[in-house]
Amino acid sequence: QLQLQESGAGLVRPSQTLSLTCAVSGGSISGGTYSWGWIRQPPGQGLQWIGYLYHSGHTYYNAPLRSRVTISADGSSNRVSLNLTSVTAADTALYFCARMAPMGSFDAWGQGALVTVSS
Amino acid sequence: SYVLTQPPSVSVAPGQTARIPCGGNNIGSKSVNWYQQKPGQAPVLVVYDDSDRPSGIPDRFSGSNSGNTATLTISSVEAGDEADYYCQVWDAYNDHDFGPGTQVSVL
């Protein structure tokens, strides 16, 4: 059974870089037709997609975040990473990694990692 | 980006049918996915590609999509269906768009 688990610092200082890792078990992140994405949810708000690593190797990012975000993968450790630079309080959110199916649905999610941006 | 609209809340009595609309310009030409999110939990995909259900999702959950509105229908609503529901599309620019969410309350 596919499982995703996010990990990383729960508290990040303003202007610093948010770094999260998604460990995938029960399936390989390499090959096939699945892609891997990150979605976040600010407290009390809805879902906002951050970006995804398409199975072709290309990355796509949400326009408002594009200049600050990087998504990458390490096939040897079966992990997907998220880096978000120059964070502000507006980046405080629950961050989810998710598997993206070929038609664009997110069919498996991690439990989420809460990241608070505060000095 | 592509704008999706959803009512903030829908209330339904147990055993009745809940219909959650998701509006978008010509959304009928797109593939719509639906997620259920209970408090403190990650979202769960309940309908994909307009009307298909992942394995393990009860057939009480169904979807349709035509014109400018996609609809998630929950039949024979149970207390355990109380949750936030989000629609989502993957648009022509390779962007993802989520609706603002609808809170379903079971009276």
Side-chain angles (χ1 to χ4, degrees), chain B residues 53-79:
Chain B
R53 276 187 311 278
S55 61
I57 300 300
D59 59 7
R60 300 185 298 103
F61 291 84
S62 62
S64 62
N65 187 14
S66 178
N68 293 318
T69 305
T71 302
L72 174 69
T73 300
I74 311 173
S75 304
S76 302
V77 166
E78 304 172 355

Side-chain angles (χ1 to χ4, degrees), chain B residues 23-107:
Chain B
N25 185 33
N26 197 26
I27 196 173
S29 67
K30 304 180 184 299
S31 174
V32 179
N33 309 301
W34 290 91
Y35 303 87
Q36 175 194 68
Q37 186 181 31
K38 296 181 178 180
Q41 299 184 18
V44 173
L45 181 67
V46 293
V47 166
Y48 67 96
D49 198 12
D50 294 340
S51 59
D52 290 330
R53 276 187 311 278
S55 61
I57 300 300
D59 59 7
R60 300 185 298 103
F61 291 84
S62 62
S64 62
N65 187 14
S66 178
N68 293 318
T69 305
T71 302
L72 174 69
T73 300
I74 311 173
S75 304
S76 302
V77 166
E78 304 172 355
D81 298 330
E82 273 205 346
D84 294 327
Y85 291 84
Y86 296 90
C87 58
Q88 173 251 329
V89 300
W90 187 33
D91 68 28
Y93 301 97
N94 294 309
D95 287 350
H96 288 280
D97 303 282
F98 285 96
T102 296
Q103 183 176 57
V104 171
S105 299
V106 181
L107 303 173

Side-chain angles (χ1 to χ4, degrees), chain A residues 55-110:
Chain A
H55 61 79
S56 65
H58 195 83
T59 49
Y60 295 90
Y61 302 125
N62 196 345
L65 301 172
R66 190 168 294 147
S67 63
R68 300 193 291 128
V69 65
T70 303
I71 294 174
S72 59
D74 181 346
S76 63
S77 63
N78 223 37
R79 294 172 186 263
V80 183
S81 295
L82 168 70
N83 279 347
L84 183 66
T85 63
S86 304
V87 297
T88 70
D91 296 309
T92 292
L94 187 58
Y95 286 75
F96 297 100
C97 64
R99 186 178 75 169
M100 180 179 135
M103 290 298 290
S105 64
F106 293 103
D107 64 354
W109 296 65

